[in-house]
Every structure is written in C-alpha cells, then in structure tokens.
Amino acid sequence: MGGRSGISTRVEVPFTVIINNSDATDVVEQVDTIAQMGGSTNPGDGINRANTVLNDSGRSEFLQSICLSTDGLRNAGANVATALNNSKTSTIGLD
C-alpha cells in the first residue's frame, strides 16, 4: 500500500457479488477509506502506460482492452485525445 504517514492511497476489495444494499454499502465504505494524496488527474499518461504494457507484453491472439476510471477532468500529464488516438491505431480496444 502506498501513501504518506500511514495513509492509504489504495484499497483492495475482494470480488464481491452485490446482492443487496448492505453489500453495496460495505464496498462503498472500503472505497471511502482511500485518501487522495495529490490533486492531479492524469488519464492520458494512464492510457499511454497501458498501451505500452499491452503492446510490449500482451497476447495479441486475445482481445486487449483498457478500462479507465478517473475522478474528473485531466489537469496533468499527456493529452487524452492524443493518447486515445494512439490506442485506436494499435491492437487495443477501449472500454
């Protein structure tokens, strides 16, 4: 787990089938424990890094996909449109 002064920036939630509100609440409570350490949102670099990893070590005989979640608009790093165009020209699908 990363972070400063014992504050976690990561939480691992085991595979959970959400059947009822209690299950959903449990997952939300775990996610709510994550502390934001910075203030930058950098999806373009995330897309570029995923592209590199999948192109360099992915298995081309299988569908390769990037699923990106973010907390807001880009305010740091690579241009998202450029990163997306790079992904579209490779063998990687975008979700």
Side-chain angles (χ1 to χ4, degrees):
M1 299 235 197
R4 296 179 283 185
S5 304
I7 299 173
S8 175
T9 58
R10 173 181 167 179
V11 65
E12 293 186 30
V13 179
F15 178 75
T16 304
V17 177
I18 298 176
I19 298 172
N20 54 44
N21 285 340
S22 177
D23 295 336
T25 299
D26 289 345
V27 172
V28 168
E29 286 174 355
Q30 291 178 63
V31 171
D32 282 345
T33 66
I34 300 171
Q36 181 178 354
M37 300 307 291
S40 298
T41 300
N42 186 359
D45 284 350
I47 294 166
N48 286 335
R49 177 68 180 135
N51 244 344
T52 299
V53 169
L54 291 174
N55 283 325
D56 290 352
S57 58
R59 296 178 60 186
S60 61
E61 67 271 22
F62 295 104
L63 173 65
Q64 308 230 25
S65 179
I66 299 169
C67 181
L68 176 70
S69 297
T70 179
D71 65 348
L73 298 173
R74 180 190 77 85
N75 61 7
N79 180 279
V80 175
T82 301
L84 289 171
N85 283 331
N86 292 339
S87 290
K88 289 176 184 174
T89 61
S90 72
T91 60
I92 299 167
L94 299 171
D95 287 341

